[in-house]
Amino acid sequence: VIGATYQAIATEIDQRTYSPPGEMVDVGTHSLHINCVGQGSPTVILEAANGGMSAHWARVQQQLAQTTRVCAYDRAGLGWSEPGPEPRDAKQVSSELHTLLANAGIEGPYVLVGHSYGGLYARMYAARYSEEVAGVVLVDSSHPEQFTRSPEGRAMYEQIRRLGVVLPLLTRLGVIRLSNYFPAHPDLPSQQRAQIEAFNSSTQHVVTTVEEFRATPETTAQVRSTQSLGDKPLAVVSAGDQPSSWLEMQGELATLSTNSIHRVVEGATHVSLLYDKGDAQVTSAAIDQVVEAVRTDRPLTQ
């Protein structure tokens, strides 16, 4: 009872302390948060990792805003967004993003950017609404076979799945908050770091993260069924500090378009591509390259 009370009071304080920096947009059954900065076309749409939120894109978004309009949003139940209906699979997520962009008056064409698990959602959106998508960037993106192809991948899936059974309960009892189980990365700007730590301890945020991962079999099957991107500009940015099996799958992602580049950032980690100043600049430069290719209608060059 003490833990649950502590969690409820702390969550209410966080909600009063950290107001959404963008706007809340009605998508029918709930409202989603989106934060857009900068000017220009195409508009870059940032899709966060599993458990991620708009604040995770702070460094990349600030850099991209110097050259074009860039929007980071929170999927339903994450960050400032209200929870949405289940299943939280790629089709549901892409449908909600489509409605969000329409209702917010954010016109295409779009360059979709997906980090980690968010890459699966970006690919699904590009497949379902291809006429709106002019380019794609996959930042150390999940591969639809990453949890089935290798023993390491299957073991990782089982470990995360088992953890997901207990995490919601521990969060409701205040244990996750008290232990700071999901700390924000120290390389992030202080404001976004505080926002992330507050929401990482939110019951709604943790429960939604688990619901999204629980839908992994459906999400990966949906993404596997999609077609290639044709000749649309595609940039794949991969962390060099990853196992060879992961880098092999990253190479496969680069074959989704006949007009692609693949940047392997030596020494970079899965998260430093967003948080570290230098690595985030490499990520931003790759996105800028796709934006410029869309503007000029010229092929990407390595």
Side-chain angles (χ1 to χ4, degrees):
V1 171
I2 292 173
T5 303
Y6 160 68
Q7 173 70 2
I9 294 174
T11 300
E12 184 178 344
I13 293 173
D14 285 342
Q15 290 172 345
R16 292 200 303 265
T17 303
Y18 304 107
S19 56
E23 60 177 321
M24 300 296 296
V25 179
D26 184 4
V27 295
T29 60
H30 54 291
S31 293
L32 298 181
H33 169 252
I34 189 166
N35 182 30
C36 298
V37 294
Q39 299 292 329
S41 179
T43 298
V44 175
I45 307 297
L46 303 172
E47 187 76 74
N50 181 245
M53 57 181 288
S54 53
H56 282 96
W57 287 104
R59 292 205 184 282
V60 172
Q61 187 172 23
Q62 290 167 3
Q63 293 167 5
L64 292 174
Q66 300 174 32
T67 57
T68 195
R69 191 182 194 195
V70 54
C71 303
Y73 86 106
D74 298 318
R75 294 189 296 273
L78 301 175
W80 288 278
S81 290
E82 297 174 354
E86 293 189 52
R88 302 308 306 163
D89 58 19
K91 284 188 176 180
Q92 180 66 33
V93 168
S94 58
S95 292
E96 291 176 359
L97 175 57
H98 185 253
T99 303
L100 168 64
L101 296 175
N103 290 1
I106 302 170
E107 298 180 352
Y110 310 122
V111 170
L112 297 180
V113 182
H115 174 236
S116 189
Y117 205 87
L120 298 174
Y121 300 139
R123 288 180 59 185
M124 178 56 64
Y125 192 101
R128 299 183 71 193
Y129 310 104
S130 60
E131 70 283 356
E132 301 173 5
V133 179
V136 176
V137 182
L138 300 176
V139 184
D140 221 37
S141 170
S142 293
H143 187 286
E145 296 177 4
Q146 75 177 76
F147 295 122
T148 57
R149 182 181 293 188
S150 67
E152 295 82 6
R154 291 190 291 272
M156 178 186 295
Y157 176 81
E158 283 302 313
Q159 180 182 20
I160 298 174
R161 186 188 63 80
R162 288 194 297 268
L163 190 61
V165 174
V166 299
L167 277 179
L169 174 61
L170 294 176
T171 307
R172 291 187 177 97
L173 297 178
V175 175
I176 298 300
R177 181 182 299 275
L178 189 62
S179 64
N180 193 24
Y181 189 81
F182 296 115
H185 199 278
D187 287 340
L188 280 165
S190 59
Q191 180 182 5
Q192 284 77 22
R193 191 165 64 244
Q195 292 168 344
I196 290 167
E197 289 190 346
F199 283 104
N200 279 356
S201 301
S202 158
T203 301
Q204 175 183 292
H205 190 97
V206 172
V207 168
T208 301
T209 298
V210 171
E211 288 174 349
E212 284 191 2
F213 191 79
R214 188 179 295 135
T216 292
E218 292 78 15
T219 288
T220 52
Q222 292 163 6
V223 174
R224 276 197 303 271
S225 69
T226 61
Q227 304 298 315
S228 75
L229 296 169
D231 62 354
K232 287 182 180 179
L234 166 67
V236 176
V237 183
S238 307
D241 190 16
Q242 290 278 39
S244 58
S245 59
W246 176 270
L247 292 175
E248 178 184 342
M249 287 186 282
Q250 293 290 296
E252 292 176 8
L253 295 178
T255 67
L256 291 171
S257 171
T258 58
N259 180 18
S260 70
I261 57 173
H262 186 191
R263 302 268 190 265
V264 178
V265 186
E266 295 301 327
T269 67
H270 188 63
V271 296
S272 74
L273 291 172
L274 264 60
Y275 308 150
D276 177 79
K277 286 184 179 180
D279 292 346
Q281 287 178 347
V282 176
T283 299
S284 300
I287 299 170
D288 273 332
Q289 194 169 350
V290 171
V291 168
E292 188 62 21
V294 172
R295 286 175 176 169
T296 61
D297 195 27
R298 293 178 179 174
L300 291 169
T301 57
Q302 292 289 345

